[in-house]
Amino acid sequence: MTAARDYEDMHHLVDRLSPRQVRRLRLLATQDEELAQVVEAVSPEQSSEEESVPEGLIALIGSIQGPADLAERHDDYLRERMERRFGNAE
């Protein structure tokens, strides 16, 4: 039961990370000997094309890859992004 709870906790944690934090977490995982094997198995090649897309363009056209709960929380994600960029209007 503990392993299942750990998995769920990590899943929710990753859902709350920003794209920049996810990239940092991936970097940390690739530097760990045991975790690097899992990262390689999941994504053998990191697409350099994905890295070169400007962040503003992704925001404009959307991203196919996103958090697992993107459809459920899209309003929250948009609001958070607007608040980071323009500040809280309240």
Side-chain angles (χ1 to χ4, degrees):
M1 199 63 142
T2 303
R5 183 174 179 177
D6 288 344
Y7 177 80
E8 284 296 316
D9 288 346
M10 288 302 295
H11 179 78
H12 291 294
L13 171 72
V14 172
D15 283 346
R16 293 175 179 220
L17 297 177
S18 69
R20 184 177 183 178
Q21 292 170 321
V22 171
R23 285 191 296 273
R24 182 175 175 154
L25 182 58
R26 177 182 285 276
L27 176 64
L28 292 172
T30 59
Q31 293 174 348
D32 181 270
E33 185 177 326
E34 186 177 339
L35 296 176
Q37 296 170 4
V38 177
V39 173
E40 282 183 25
V42 171
S43 57
E45 296 179 7
Q46 177 97 12
S47 170
S48 61
E49 187 177 307
E50 181 180 326
E51 294 287 326
S52 65
V53 177
E55 184 177 324
L57 182 60
I58 298 253
L60 178 64
I61 63 174
S63 174
I64 294 172
Q65 295 177 338
D69 64 346
L70 182 61
E72 297 172 50
R73 294 195 54 222
H74 72 280
D75 289 338
D76 296 331
Y77 287 112
L78 290 173
R79 187 177 307 106
E80 289 169 9
R81 185 180 178 100
M82 297 297 281
E83 287 175 357
R84 279 196 311 267
R85 185 171 284 179
F86 301 111
N88 194 346
E90 295 178 42

